[in-house]
Amino acid sequence: MQKKYETFYSKTLFETRAERMVSNLLFLNFLLYFLPSVTQATLCEDISGRWVNTLGSEVVIDHLQSGVLRGKYYTAVSSTRGELPGHEIVGTLPYNKPGSSFAFSVTWNNGSSTTVWTGQCLVCNGKATLETTWLLRSFVNSCIDKWKSTCIGKDVFEWKLTTEKGIPNQNLETPHKSTVSKCDLHGIWYNNVGSEVILNQTEYGVISGEYRTAVEREKGSAGATHSLVYGSSAYGNPNTTFSLIVVWRGGASVTGWIGQRHICENNTAILEMSWLLRSKVDSCDDVWKSTMFGVNSFTRHEQKLGPRRNLGKHTPNRDGEDFGGGSASLIISNILLVAALFSAWIVHD
């Protein structure tokens, strides 16, 4: 009886310990799964403040409730000698959505060059960091020289603790108004994949507008309607470099373009642009797959059919709908082809 009791007691004790181990493992997995998200949401809840990259450059950001990013950028590096003063940044990040994709840009020296950063706030090794990729577009004299216009790189910014109240060294005065009235980027432009962008360039150099993309990486990733455009340039400078920024689907991804307006073949105005598409990732280990790079050429004339504001079409072709004129053009082309073949057959006979 004693032996039987000891066997029962040992078995019960073993099962109790096993249950506790399983319970502890489940709790540990729960913490490992949810704690990073909670930490990231807390540390990246507001990116307002001073951030410093590995080269010593600093960006001071004020994240407004409208989703606009304003502030100053103090570069520690330059292709020209001498220190550059703080430059105004223009950017956007959805408010109250920690960890969303964001972008900001800086126009240097009256439009002689422009940099756009796309990135995401992530908690890496217990520290809040802005993991970013950047494009730098420099002025070139002609379309032939565009091959040397663009540089690409990576920046990691860490939050810099300061004892000063508010945002240090922040001077958010209204941008200087240009005395030149010429507006070179204003109007409707179309790219080589069928997308439409409508730009309005103000006398302060701020660019706003609408973007209707004809393509998307995955169905639905461009959202349910057109997207807003935000950017910067040097107003009145016909050779200014500039930036455009579009946030997709509430911060799930963001695209930053940099470019320059050229007059190329047949006296055609072209916006030669490069872009970064940054998608939101779950952890620092996934940053490697967050960014795509490409180039676009925008013209005043349509290069390919796509969604258009005047047609009431605002999203990519997802269900085989006609963007207007596509099917009709195909039918007319087929009729003309048949007529030409018929005429050739009659002449041959």
Side-chain angles (χ1 to χ4, degrees):
M1 183 69 181
Q2 178 69 21
K3 186 175 182 180
K4 187 175 182 181
Y5 173 77
E6 289 177 354
T7 302
F8 172 78
Y9 178 78
S10 299
K11 184 178 180 182
T12 303
L13 183 62
F14 174 78
E15 290 177 348
T16 302
R17 288 177 176 174
E19 289 173 355
R20 287 179 179 175
M21 288 178 64
V22 171
S23 178
N24 289 337
L25 285 173
L26 290 174
F27 181 69
L28 181 60
N29 286 332
F30 174 84
L31 289 178
L32 291 175
Y33 183 80
F34 286 101
L35 189 58
S37 300
V38 174
T39 303
Q40 181 167 305
T42 302
L43 295 180
C44 291
E45 183 175 357
D46 184 5
I47 68 169
S48 295
R50 182 188 292 272
W51 300 82
V52 183
N53 70 10
T54 51
L55 297 174
S57 298
E58 299 185 5
V59 59
V60 182
I61 298 175
D62 187 11
H63 187 195
L64 307 182
Q65 291 187 8
S66 62
V68 171
L69 298 178
R70 298 177 62 191
K72 293 280 189 178
Y73 193 93
Y74 302 88
T75 182
V77 294
S78 172
S79 59
T80 58
R81 293 185 178 181
E83 291 188 5
L84 294 176
H87 283 70
E88 295 171 2
I89 70 167
V90 172
T92 182
L93 167 65
Y95 199 73
N96 286 335
K97 290 190 176 181
S100 295
S101 301
F102 67 85
F104 64 86
S105 66
V106 173
T107 298
W108 313 96
N109 298 331
N110 194 35
S112 63
S113 60
T114 297
T115 304
V116 65
W117 288 260
T118 62
Q120 182 182 349
C121 182
L122 292 167
V123 178
C124 301
N125 299 320
K127 296 181 179 180
T129 61
L130 303 184
E131 296 279 345
T132 70
T133 307
W134 54 261
L135 288 174
L136 169 64
R137 177 87 182 204
S138 299
F139 165 79
V140 292
N141 292 312
S142 67
C143 300
I144 298 176
D145 294 329
K146 65 183 180 181
W147 64 270
K148 60 181 179 180
S149 65
T150 306
C151 296
I152 186 172
K154 176 184 177 181
D155 269 333
V156 177
F157 294 85
E158 291 189 357
W159 185 66
K160 184 176 181 180
L161 181 64
T162 176
T163 57
E164 300 178 41
K165 293 183 179 180
I167 300 176
N169 296 333
Q170 183 75 314
N171 184 10
L172 297 178
E173 72 276 2
T174 302
H176 298 296
K177 184 176 180 179
S178 173
T179 57
V180 184
S181 60
K182 189 174 181 180
C183 189
D184 303 296
L185 303 176
H186 184 81
I188 304 176
W189 300 84
Y190 309 95
N191 72 7
N192 48 308
V193 296
S195 301
E196 173 189 71
V197 61
I198 303 173
L199 301 179
N200 177 39
Q201 183 188 21
T202 72
E203 60 266 38
Y204 296 103
V206 175
I207 299 173
S208 61
E210 302 176 359
Y211 196 95
R212 289 169 178 80
T213 181
V215 294
E216 54 188 352
R217 187 165 58 170
E218 297 178 356
K219 186 176 180 179
S221 61
T225 184
H226 69 276
S227 297
L228 299 180
V229 176
Y230 198 50
S232 65
S233 65
Y235 184 85
N237 179 0
N239 298 315
T240 181
T241 56
F242 62 90
S243 67
L244 302 178
I245 295 170
V246 171
V247 173
W248 309 102
R249 217 178 61 187
S253 59
V254 63
T255 301
W257 288 264
I258 54 169
Q260 183 183 343
R261 179 180 180 270
H262 290 287
I263 302 297
C264 296
E265 297 178 3
N266 301 321
N267 202 32
T268 301
I270 297 179
L271 303 184
E272 294 287 358
M273 305 174 69
S274 302
W275 53 262
L276 292 172
L277 171 60
R278 178 84 183 206
S279 299
K280 182 179 178 180
V281 294
D282 295 325
S283 69
C284 303
D285 294 333
D286 294 330
V287 170
W288 65 271
K289 61 180 180 180
S290 65
T291 306
M292 298 178 67
F293 167 81
V295 294
N296 279 141
S297 295
F298 287 79
T299 60
R300 295 288 190 185
H301 63 271
E302 293 189 67
Q303 305 175 54
K304 191 175 181 179
L305 294 177
R308 301 289 181 260
R309 181 172 68 175
N310 63 350
L311 297 176
K313 301 290 185 180
H314 308 289
T315 57
N317 187 336
R318 295 168 179 160
D319 302 307
E321 73 265 26
D322 181 17
F323 281 129
S327 299
S329 299
L330 182 60
I331 293 173
I332 293 173
S333 298
N334 289 336
I335 292 174
L336 292 175
L337 178 61
V338 171
L341 291 174
F342 184 71
S343 299
W345 177 71
I346 292 177
V347 171
H348 179 72
D349 284 352

